[in-house]
């Protein structure tokens, strides 16, 4: 297999399809937990202090717009640069380019703040991007919210092009 091929990484790392798009595998999680009483995060019960995944996205797919109740740190590992598209809690849009070309405004790691609506896309055609994502407090699917185009167009009509590209028309079952 060729390490420049997305399928190589999917196979070697044991990645599985992710509901938001792309492929993932949980790699680490804290043995310690915290609760909503100890933090300002609004969730029920206890959460791991952190969880971490590999995440691979091809240029033929996107990471659909979603929201987490926790901060998520992204780390660039390889392939082509990746753009993280963020609509923060105040409704402002930010674009972060994750990659190795620092002279071109790319960064090696980036933070997506909790409660932001975000998704990602690979910047080049016919390629992939391999990143790591660490969520703190730890990721749980019950804290994961996917959006439809209709959901977001009502609230953020100024981002119509982004929403049409990165939001689901209908949430898959």
């Amino acid at each position: 297999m060729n390490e420049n091929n997305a399928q190589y990484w999917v196979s070697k790392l044991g990645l599985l399809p992710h509901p938001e798009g792309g492929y993932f595998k949980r790699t680490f999680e804290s043995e310690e937990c915290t609760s909503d009483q100890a933090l300002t995060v609004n969730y029920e019960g206890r959460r791991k202090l952190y969880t971490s995944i590999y995440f691979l996205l091809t240029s033929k797919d996107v990471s659909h717009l979603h929201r987490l109740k926790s901060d998520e740190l992204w780390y660039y590992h390889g392939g082509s640069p990746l753009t993280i598209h963020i609509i923060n809690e105040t409704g402002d849009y930010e674009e972060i380019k994750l990659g190795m070309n620092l002279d071109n405004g790319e960064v090696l790691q980036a933070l997506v703040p909790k409660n932001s609506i975000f998704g990602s896309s690979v910047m080049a055609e016919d390629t992939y991007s391999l990143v790591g994502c660490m969520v703190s407090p730890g990721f749980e699917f019950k804290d994961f919210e996917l959006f439809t185009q209709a959901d977001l167009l009502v609230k953020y009509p100024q981002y119509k092009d982004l929403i049409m590209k990165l939001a689901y028309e209908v949430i898959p079952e």
Side-chain angles (χ1 to χ4, degrees), residues 62-99:
V62 297
S63 167
H64 290 86
L65 292 169
H66 61 287
R67 177 168 44 207
L68 301 179
K69 292 182 177 183
S70 299
D71 288 342
E72 183 169 41
L73 280 167
W74 289 59
Y75 303 93
Y76 180 78
H77 291 311
S80 292
L82 179 86
T83 302
I84 306 169
H85 306 271
I86 304 167
I87 302 172
N88 66 28
E89 284 188 276
T90 62
D92 294 323
Y93 173 77
E94 179 184 3
E95 184 176 283
I96 300 173
K97 295 180 185 319
L98 208 58

Side-chain angles (χ1 to χ4, degrees), residues 19-85:
E20 78 191 46
Y23 301 88
F24 83 109
K25 179 181 180 180
R26 185 172 282 197
T27 54
F28 298 102
E29 61 182 36
S30 174
E31 291 183 19
E32 297 193 40
C33 292
T34 189
S35 69
D36 59 342
Q37 284 86 31
L39 303 167
T40 60
V41 177
N42 181 20
Y43 57 71
E44 293 180 19
R46 298 171 56 78
R47 296 289 182 276
K48 303 269 185 187
L49 288 178
Y50 66 84
T51 55
S52 184
I53 65 168
Y54 286 128
F55 182 65
L56 184 140
L57 193 63
T58 71
S59 53
K60 295 179 179 154
D61 199 9
V62 297
S63 167
H64 290 86
L65 292 169
H66 61 287
R67 177 168 44 207
L68 301 179
K69 292 182 177 183
S70 299
D71 288 342
E72 183 169 41
L73 280 167
W74 289 59
Y75 303 93
Y76 180 78
H77 291 311
S80 292
L82 179 86
T83 302
I84 306 169
H85 306 271

Side-chain angles (χ1 to χ4, degrees), residues 65 87 117 147-170:
L65 292 169
I87 302 172
I117 296 170
F147 296 94
T148 65
Q149 293 168 353
D151 293 335
L152 296 174
L153 286 171
V154 169
K155 192 164 185 181
Y156 306 106
Q158 69 272 36
Y159 305 128
K160 180 180 180 184
D161 291 345
L162 174 72
I163 291 167
M164 297 308 287
K165 178 182 175 185
L166 294 184
Y168 281 111
E169 187 174 340
V170 176

Side-chain angles (χ1 to χ4, degrees), residues 102-138:
L102 304 183
D103 292 332
N104 195 34
E106 295 171 12
V107 296
L108 297 172
Q109 59 187 27
L111 173 69
V112 175
K114 65 183 177 183
N115 299 319
S116 297
I117 296 170
F118 67 103
S120 59
S121 57
V122 177
M123 292 169 54
E125 291 186 24
D126 297 322
T127 188
Y128 68 94
S129 184
L130 177 62
V131 300
C133 299
M134 196 265 313
V135 176
S136 179

